[in-house]
Amino acid sequence: MDFQLSLSSESVGATQPDTPLATAPDEPLANVLGLLRAQKQAAVMVCDGAKLVGIFTERDALRLLAEGADLAAPVSSAMSTDLMTIRPETTVGQAIRLMSEGGYRHLPVVDPDDSPTGVVAVRGIVHYLVEHFPDAVYTQSPTGDRPTAEREGA
């Protein structure tokens, strides 16, 4: 399939979104950090009931730890509430554009009731691109200006 056509027609489901890790807004930060570590995830969806109200990511965790924040405080005090979400029918190309423009590494996938059904991560996008378009990925110059004449590495 053509690279451009694929990006504009395949939904984000092709990137194998992660199952969302969720917590309540009143959960202590220490517990949320332990959950992220135990589940080896980089983001947790903060939900009020089934509705997504925020996201807490590894970036938030690093900032809090550097500031010496009170880890007994609720996750709602540190979560991002200005959410960019996508729907299951969002195309891979649209997700890439949103991630690039907004500087996001995780996009929650939500249903019409704003309940999280998945999380599209940069890692999933990269795996999708490498799997579906290996020639386009492997033949790029490390500097991006021109193709290399020889293979690099050992």
Side-chain angles (χ1 to χ4, degrees):
M1 183 179 269
D2 174 69
F3 184 77
Q4 194 65 29
L5 176 62
S6 182
L7 291 180
S8 63
S9 65
E10 283 201 72
S11 74
V12 292
T15 66
Q16 300 177 354
D18 296 329
T19 301
L21 188 58
T23 192
D26 59 352
E27 192 69 29
L29 285 166
N31 293 358
V32 174
L33 291 173
L35 181 64
L36 287 171
R37 183 174 177 213
Q39 297 296 317
K40 297 183 175 150
Q41 296 290 321
V44 64
M45 305 301 111
V46 182
C47 298
D48 187 7
K51 184 177 179 175
L52 181 67
V53 294
I55 186 171
F56 183 80
T57 68
E58 61 190 353
R59 284 182 182 175
D60 298 320
L62 290 172
R63 180 181 45 80
L64 286 174
L65 293 173
E67 294 171 354
D70 176 14
L71 299 182
V75 70
S76 61
S77 67
M79 69 184 186
S80 298
T81 57
D82 186 22
L83 297 173
M84 174 59 64
T85 62
I86 57 176
R87 302 282 183 198
E89 63 272 8
T90 302
T91 66
V92 175
Q94 290 170 323
I96 291 171
R97 182 179 47 76
L98 289 171
M99 291 174 122
S100 176
E101 290 173 356
Y104 306 116
R105 294 190 295 172
H106 302 90
L107 287 176
V109 181
V110 295
D111 65 16
D113 297 324
D114 288 330
S115 295
T117 61
V119 180
V120 173
V122 169
R123 172 184 28 78
I125 297 282
V126 170
H127 285 294
Y128 168 85
L129 293 171
V130 170
E131 183 178 309
H132 288 82
F133 311 105
D135 291 339
V137 174
Y138 291 135
T139 59
Q140 297 299 310
S141 164
T143 59
D145 54 358
R146 61 190 160 110
T148 56
E150 307 174 355
R151 279 186 68 140
E152 293 186 14

